[in-house]
Amino acid sequence: MNATIELEATGKKSNFEILPKVTPAGEISGEFLEVSMGPHHPSTHGVFRMDVTLDGERVVKLKPVFGYLHRNHEKIAEGTAYLASMPYTDRLDYFCSMTNNWAYALAVEKLAGLQVPERAEYIRVITAELTRLQNHACLCGFLLQDMGALGTPLMYAFREREKILDLFEALSGSRMMCNYMRFGGCRVDLSPGWIEETKRVVENFPRFLDEFERLLSENEILIARTQGVGVLPAPLAINASITGPMLRASGVNYDLRKADKYGIYERFQFRVPLGDHGDVYDRYMVRVLEMRESLKILQAALRDIPPGPISDPKAKVRNFRPKAGEAYGRIEAPKGELGFYLISDGSPNPYRYRVRPPSLINLTILEDMCLGHIIPDVVVILGSVDIVLGEVDR
């Protein structure tokens, strides 16, 4: 029988239970402790819960529980016009609205046969790589905060993020919910002086990265808390459809910017950083190295961006009705493969609208990474996954 601990002062049940431990022979030997972490636990990065079963301090079972933030995104999109869903994509991974916009626009462009002008392609690459910079910087800051480093790393990261959000605000009118991409291009052209200001941000970013790495990468506490912790073997990562920095930290060389060459990424020289062990430290280092590669892409794109139109003139705003058919558009978002699957029946609304969110897929192997570790390790492992509940629940 389950033994339930009650709070003496109120007589109410707490969020953990003591369960009898049963041996393979069916004998009871000791007890398991079942703990519910969340949905308001500070380590859970949003309204997310982990039901953890402990043998002493060791994790023997873990069940991710989500759905607290479900907003019916996909069903709403099937009842509204194609363009009207663009602002909803901002609310998926709300750290990365520019890349959310791009993935959706790419799917609709495939469905409708639209061509994107060259200047708009460069703008998309620039905004996507700026998004990658601020996402990875903040992830490293949050990860260190989960380890107990309160203040400095996260504030350093947010200081740099503010500069990038200022650029997004100058371009789109909004810092986070940008609603900037359009089918066949972008909503507005770059404002005067925007490229020069972006170049200044990009030129100064390596100084931040050098400073960040001196502070963190060889820190003995970070190394002790991350190396050998939360190992994700490459075969499991592949079989579980893990993508993005988590997959590459396990040593799998797969990046959609190289594999699909969507947009104009084939024009840029950059390498794909890979890890050796697939642990939390590798996931941290891969993101640091990816920021350095993003800077190379940004420098080239800002140097070579051409003049010209920013939208396909065939892209109609009113009475937009793609021909009947289906399309899947995907990009290498900061957290992994973000894809939109659309079916058109020739009406103004999608017949089917489905999102492939990297945060949700990457969460599916959380238990595998946590088994055998202790609770403080679980907090750090979850932090290294880099989730946003907006796209987990949709």
Side-chain angles (χ1 to χ4, degrees), residues 86-255:
M86 186 66 77
Y88 285 107
T89 68
D90 291 338
R91 277 81 177 166
L92 291 170
D93 178 359
Y94 38 78
F95 262 71
C96 305
S97 72
M98 288 290 193
T99 47
N100 299 345
N101 289 176
W102 192 0
Y104 178 51
L106 190 63
V108 176
E109 286 156 6
K110 286 185 176 183
L111 196 61
L114 299 174
Q115 298 297 317
V116 180
E118 190 176 25
R119 180 174 176 83
E121 292 281 24
Y122 272 88
I123 294 173
R124 288 180 173 189
V125 168
I126 291 168
T127 55
E129 296 308 315
L130 288 172
T131 299
R132 202 177 314 277
L133 288 181
Q134 60 96 8
N135 179 86
H136 286 0
C138 290
L139 178 278
C140 295
F142 284 129
L143 180 63
L144 269 293
Q145 180 158 292
D146 289 342
M147 293 181 201
L150 304 179
T152 304
L154 185 59
M155 291 301 102
Y156 277 21
F158 265 70
R159 179 190 64 192
E160 301 307 309
R161 178 176 181 250
E162 285 298 302
K163 299 172 185 176
I164 294 173
L165 294 189
D166 286 343
L167 294 174
F168 288 167
E169 183 178 18
L171 177 60
S172 70
S174 177
R175 294 166 61 79
M176 291 181 66
M177 308 303 163
C178 297
N179 186 23
Y180 178 66
M181 306 292 178
R182 289 294 181 266
F183 312 140
C186 302
R187 176 160 54 89
V188 294
D189 203 351
L190 305 179
S191 57
W194 193 88
I195 289 182
E196 288 69 27
E197 182 59 31
T198 304
K199 285 181 178 178
R200 280 193 287 271
V201 172
V202 170
E203 288 169 2
N204 291 327
F205 206 89
R207 178 183 175 184
F208 154 71
L209 281 179
D210 294 341
E211 187 179 58
F212 214 49
E213 284 212 73
R214 284 198 302 272
L215 178 67
L216 301 176
S217 294
E218 296 183 6
N219 182 285
E220 61 184 46
I221 298 175
L222 182 143
I223 291 173
R225 293 291 309 277
T226 59
Q227 289 190 349
V229 174
V231 173
L232 175 61
L236 174 58
I238 294 169
N239 291 335
S241 299
I242 305 304
T243 56
M246 284 192 64
L247 178 66
R248 295 187 285 274
S250 296
V252 181
N253 189 353
Y254 184 72
D255 186 314

Side-chain angles (χ1 to χ4, degrees), residues 6 40 43 49 60 62 87 104 145 195 206 209 227 240-241 245 268-269 301 304 328 380 383:
E6 296 189 355
H40 302 298
S43 77
R49 191 174 94 228
V60 296
L62 186 146
Y104 178 51
Q145 180 158 292
I195 289 182
L209 281 179
Q227 289 190 349
S241 299
F268 303 107
Q269 297 295 321
D304 298 337
Y328 179 65
V380 175

